[in-house]
Amino acid sequence: MTPPRAAHPEPHQNAARGPFDWVAAETAAWFGDQGPRLLYVAKAMLAAFTALWLAFRLELDSPFTALATTIILALPSSGMVLEKAFNRLLGTVVGCTASVILVALFPQAPALLLTGVALWVALCTGGAAMHRNQRSYSFVLAGYTACMIAVPAIDNPGHVFTLAVTRLTEVGLGIIVATVVHDVIFPRRHAHTVMRTVQARYASFIGFCQKVLEHRLSPADTELHHLKFAADIAALESGRAAAYFEAGHASAHTRQLHAFNAAFMDVLTTFYTVHRLIHRLRSDAAAPGTLDVLALVEPIHARMATALKDDLSAARMAQLRTGLAADIAAAQRQADATALDRPHRIDFDTALELLQRFARDLGEFAALYHGLTEDRRQQVSDPVAYTPRTPPAIVLASAFRAGATLLVAAGAWYWLAWPGMGNVILMATIFCALASSSPRPTAMVHQVLIGFLIAVPLSFVTEFWLVARADDFAPMVLATLPIFALGAYITTIPKWGGIGVGLGLFPATLLVPANQMRYDVESFLSSELSLVMGVVVAYVMFAVVLPEHTMGQRDHVAAALWREARSACTAGLGRLKRRFDNRVRDLLSQLNAAAGPAPREAARAVVRQGLTLLELGHAVIELRQLIAASPAGPVRHSLQQVVARVAHYLQAPQQGQGQAALDAILQAGAAIRAVLPDAVPERLPALHTALADLHAIYTSLLDQISTGETRHAA
């Protein structure tokens, strides 16, 4: 029996449905893009006005503080809100305590009190610049909270304790409301964002390896990828810290994310060394013998690039390692038949050694990735957590700038005798502290200033045309909702986020909804001017006081990279490789944030230098580990001389020191080759690894110093 034919829509039905399908598709796309933003704005407004209503009911002195707290804590995910809320509460408690102590020490000495507050603000701002994560927010809060309480208490020190308790109560109310709203009502878990980041990182790195192995990326593009990967490492650590505050996040998952970040740094550094060796060989292809090495190695690269297109499961990685071992054995037989000279034979052996390391590190990285994505608990060692490390000069400059800002504004307060200067002091101090951890502080403060200026006329209209006509809480909410919602929405646009912050905070401070409202145009305009002037002062201080000492400034990053390379030669070996990786990647992340999406040549030169120093430092650390496990003898002594000479060069990078290091490497290579024929089989792998490390150090030094001499091999 013939089955009935399926019904198909007539052409005129398809034509009629076309516009509806288009509208449905466009609507779905719009909600996919704008839906999360609108939900975020709705939750932020719900938290803000709930906190304000509770503050009114509790008859708090400054209800707007609770409202402003919820606006400050409004973030896309519940984990980020909880993390920032915890740090805000901690910073507020410390700042309130510090203000009470400072006023108690100098109750009748305004000059000494302001000096003490300036020193406290400088100390806290330096701490914020040093940490550069949500922990830094605690330092910022501790600094400017003390300022917000101590400055109003100058004329009436007996009220300082009341001011501190009131501030803590109002901020605590805002924190409770914000965390409940964002964590209970349609919560957006940051753990999901972290997992999407993990998946994107893995796919991006595998694609990057394929392109490099197939020679589809230029050296400049490769450097930019490494810069982006450094930023990704920092971003994943920041996301992990936020997800830690969410319910259901286990400590084992935190260790897995730490291990994933650590494995990524290992495989990234190993792969960079592989790439640099092949790049040097291809650049020197005209030299006799180099083409023979490339002919032996590049087919292995091509087969590995093909293998990376498959899912790197445990079984697939085992096949990849088996195939790589077979390819290496075949290439070694061909090399023996070709009879390469010694320098090129060492190039060849080093390339094979690095490929084996890359396969090993890639297997660990892939295993950790699959454990995370498949939600499998893995037993991992607890690696050193990724920790930001800011160059000391920038930390000191940030501290000095914040303290100087407060003292300059306080001096102007004394000479002008303008009551509004109190607001100027507070706003200038707040934004000098907040921007201290930003890679582009003047741009950040400039955006906030734009938001303040936009909010000036909007706040005036809202206060005197809308709020003045509100006779109950609900009409007041309707009157102020548009300006607060506009500010919250603009913060969801990364390019204009600072403008949204200014547009949200300015009305929260200026409209000042209180239990007993006062409508005074003169006072309103004075407050407007003082708030704007405070942000202007912060902007001017960043532009004038040590403008080159800001986060990510390339000269400071370059100097810090050299210091970290020296530490690889001299610091204790316990977890040294992990600490060195963390610090170098963090410095490159700072450089990436300051350079923006299109780094200039000067910034890219620092990236090249940093990657070379990273390669050099890794090889030195591995060499030191081999030295620690080696018996006394001429090989160990020669390797120790290499480390000492490299350390001297990194301390004083001059031509003579560089040449001495190169000579020591050549002598150590000769000493190792002298004992190779009689070495026991158990020692052979360590000796071959030492030769590969010496070769990596030698070529890295040649990248740093141009001796002009003929190329050697260790």
Side-chain angles (χ1 to χ4, degrees):
M1 179 178 177
T2 305
R5 293 193 307 170
H8 295 283
E10 297 296 332
H12 68 275
Q13 293 177 323
N14 286 333
R17 290 181 57 188
F20 292 102
D21 292 341
W22 179 85
V23 170
E26 290 297 315
T27 302
W30 186 85
F31 272 107
D33 178 47
Q34 297 298 324
R37 294 182 178 182
L38 296 178
L39 179 61
Y40 161 79
V41 172
K43 290 165 64 176
M45 294 302 98
L46 176 62
F49 290 110
T50 301
L52 183 62
W53 181 81
L54 288 172
F56 280 144
R57 297 289 294 176
L58 295 172
E59 297 185 357
L60 299 181
D61 292 342
S62 302
F64 73 92
T65 302
L67 180 145
T69 297
T70 63
I71 291 175
I72 292 169
L73 293 179
L75 291 168
S77 70
S78 58
M80 297 171 72
V81 173
L82 292 167
E83 181 187 27
K84 192 170 186 179
F86 171 79
N87 287 287
R88 185 173 180 84
L89 180 61
L90 178 61
T92 301
V93 170
V94 174
C96 289
T97 305
S99 66
V100 173
I101 293 173
L102 287 169
V103 173
L105 290 174
F106 311 109
Q108 303 296 331
L112 291 176
L113 176 58
L114 286 171
T115 302
V117 173
L119 291 173
W120 173 255
V121 168
L123 179 65
C124 292
T125 304
M130 182 183 298
H131 287 87
R132 298 189 350 271
N133 51 25
Q134 283 298 337
R135 191 181 304 167
S136 72
Y137 189 60
S138 292
F139 284 90
V140 170
L141 261 293
Y144 77 67
T145 296
C147 180
M148 295 179 76
I149 296 172
V151 170
I154 287 178
D155 295 330
N156 195 349
H159 286 179
V160 65
F161 185 76
T162 302
L163 290 172
V165 172
T166 301
R167 173 75 184 177
L168 183 58
T169 302
E170 293 161 352
V171 170
L173 175 62
I175 288 173
I176 292 171
V177 173
T179 53
V180 170
V181 169
H182 288 278
D183 196 46
V184 173
I185 300 176
F186 299 112
R188 185 179 178 184
R189 300 303 182 193
H190 202 73
H192 300 155
T193 303
V194 170
M195 289 312 303
R196 287 194 295 270
T197 302
V198 166
Q199 291 167 345
R201 163 88 59 78
Y202 179 80
S204 177
F205 175 70
I206 296 299
F208 168 71
C209 291
Q210 291 176 15
K211 291 177 183 178
V212 170
L213 291 173
E214 295 171 352
H215 310 299
R216 292 190 283 131
L217 283 181
S218 66
D221 290 334
T222 303
E223 292 160 6
L224 292 179
H225 274 77
H226 279 279
L227 201 58
K228 178 181 177 297
F229 286 140
D232 288 345
I233 291 167
L236 181 59
E237 172 57 25
S238 176
R240 181 212 58 77
Y244 180 80
F245 284 83
E246 294 178 343
H249 184 88
S251 58
H253 196 253
T254 293
R255 287 195 295 272
Q256 283 181 262
L257 287 170
H258 276 319
F260 177 80
N261 238 359
F264 179 62
M265 286 187 279
D266 284 343
V267 70
L268 188 59
T269 303
T270 303
F271 187 72
Y272 177 75
T273 307
V274 172
H275 165 250
R276 287 296 298 164
L277 176 59
I278 299 304
H279 176 69
R280 292 177 187 120
L281 290 173
R282 290 175 67 87
S283 300
D284 198 26
T290 302
L291 284 176
D292 294 333
V293 177
L294 290 172
L296 293 170
V297 173
E298 289 196 331
I300 304 178
H301 286 184
R303 284 189 288 273
M304 182 170 283
T306 302
L308 292 179
K309 295 177 182 178
D310 299 327
D311 179 37
L312 297 181
S313 61
R316 188 71 187 93
M317 280 302 308
Q319 293 176 2
L320 187 149
R321 284 190 289 267
T322 301
L324 178 62
D327 289 341
I328 287 175
Q332 286 174 332
R333 289 193 294 270
Q334 293 179 33
D336 293 338
T338 307
L340 295 171
D341 57 17
R342 191 179 73 191
H344 291 100
R345 180 67 195 215
I346 292 180
D347 281 333
F348 171 74
D349 290 339
T350 303
L352 298 185
E353 169 75 17
L354 292 175
L355 282 173
Q356 290 175 316
R357 292 187 197 178
F358 172 63
R360 177 199 64 201
D361 294 343
L362 181 63
E364 294 176 2
F365 177 60
L368 286 165
Y369 167 75
H370 285 99
L372 285 169
T373 55
E374 296 168 10
D375 198 22
R376 285 189 285 107
R377 292 291 179 259
Q378 296 171 294
Q379 294 297 324
V380 296
S381 59
D382 191 12
V384 177
Y386 180 90
T387 305
R389 186 182 179 92
T390 306
I394 295 176
V395 174
L396 294 175
S398 299
F400 174 78
R401 190 185 297 111
T405 299
L406 192 150
L407 292 177
V408 167
W413 188 16
Y414 175 79
W415 289 106
L416 294 176
W418 175 34
M421 280 303 298
N423 281 338
V424 175
I425 293 174
L426 295 178
M427 299 307 294
T429 302
I430 287 171
F431 284 102
C432 265
L434 284 173
S436 64
S437 299
S438 172
R440 293 186 289 275
T442 52
M444 173 186 169
V445 178
H446 181 253
Q447 279 204 348
V448 172
L449 179 58
I450 292 174
F452 271 37
L453 293 175
I454 294 173
V456 166
L458 297 178
S459 298
F460 188 89
V461 171
T462 301
E463 177 83 355
F464 295 102
W465 267 267
L466 300 177
V467 175
R469 288 171 169 78
D471 58 357
D472 201 353
F473 183 76
M476 188 195 68
V477 170
L478 294 176
T480 55
L481 180 62
I483 189 169
F484 287 124
L486 177 62
Y489 180 81
I490 293 177
T491 59
T492 66
I493 306 173
K495 185 178 180 181
W496 299 340
I499 297 176
V501 170
L503 191 53
L505 288 181
F506 188 86
T509 306
L510 193 60
L511 296 181
V512 192
N515 287 299
Q516 186 64 42
M517 293 293 295
R518 292 179 63 251
Y519 298 98
D520 185 340
V521 174
E522 181 180 350
S523 175
F524 185 90
L525 294 176
S526 177
S527 297
E528 275 188 342
L529 181 61
S530 63
L531 293 174
V532 172
M533 284 300 299
V535 183
V536 170
V537 169
Y539 180 83
V540 171
M541 293 299 288
F542 273 109
V544 173
V545 179
L546 303 174
E548 294 299 317
H549 289 66
T550 53
M551 204 67 61
Q553 206 277 335
R554 61 177 181 272
D555 293 336
H556 292 290
V557 170
L561 288 168
W562 280 87
R563 287 195 297 271
E564 295 302 335
R566 287 198 299 273
S567 73
C569 301
T570 57
L573 277 176
R575 294 191 170 187
L576 175 59
K577 184 178 179 182
R578 188 72 64 234
R579 293 199 308 272
F580 176 71
D581 250 346
N582 284 351
R583 291 170 182 174
V584 171
R585 300 290 180 190
D586 178 58
L587 288 167
L588 292 178
S589 174
Q590 295 176 48
L591 182 65
N592 175 73
R600 297 181 179 178
E601 178 55 34
R604 293 170 66 171
V606 177
V607 176
R608 288 193 294 272
Q609 183 185 70
L611 292 173
T612 301
L613 290 173
L614 181 65
E615 180 185 10
L616 174 64
H618 261 264
V620 168
I621 292 170
E622 289 182 356
L623 203 62
R624 291 181 61 196
Q625 291 171 340
L626 289 172
I627 292 171
S630 298
V635 170
R636 177 171 178 164
H637 177 73
S638 63
L639 294 179
Q640 288 172 332
Q641 288 298 309
V642 169
V643 174
R645 291 297 183 183
V646 171
H648 290 157
Y649 169 71
L650 294 172
Q651 180 68 35
Q654 300 171 354
Q655 185 81 10
Q657 296 285 6
Q659 186 57 53
L662 294 175
D663 292 341
I665 293 170
L666 294 175
Q667 293 170 9
I672 291 175
R673 287 191 299 275
V675 301
L676 272 176
D678 301 325
V680 295
E682 292 79 9
R683 197 183 176 196
L684 284 176
L687 294 175
H688 286 299
T689 300
L691 282 175
D693 289 333
L694 287 173
H695 192 58
I697 296 171
Y698 191 91
T699 52
S700 297
L701 286 176
L702 286 180
D703 282 348
Q704 289 292 338
I705 54 174
S706 299
T707 61
E709 298 178 1
T710 52
R711 182 169 170 275
H712 299 279

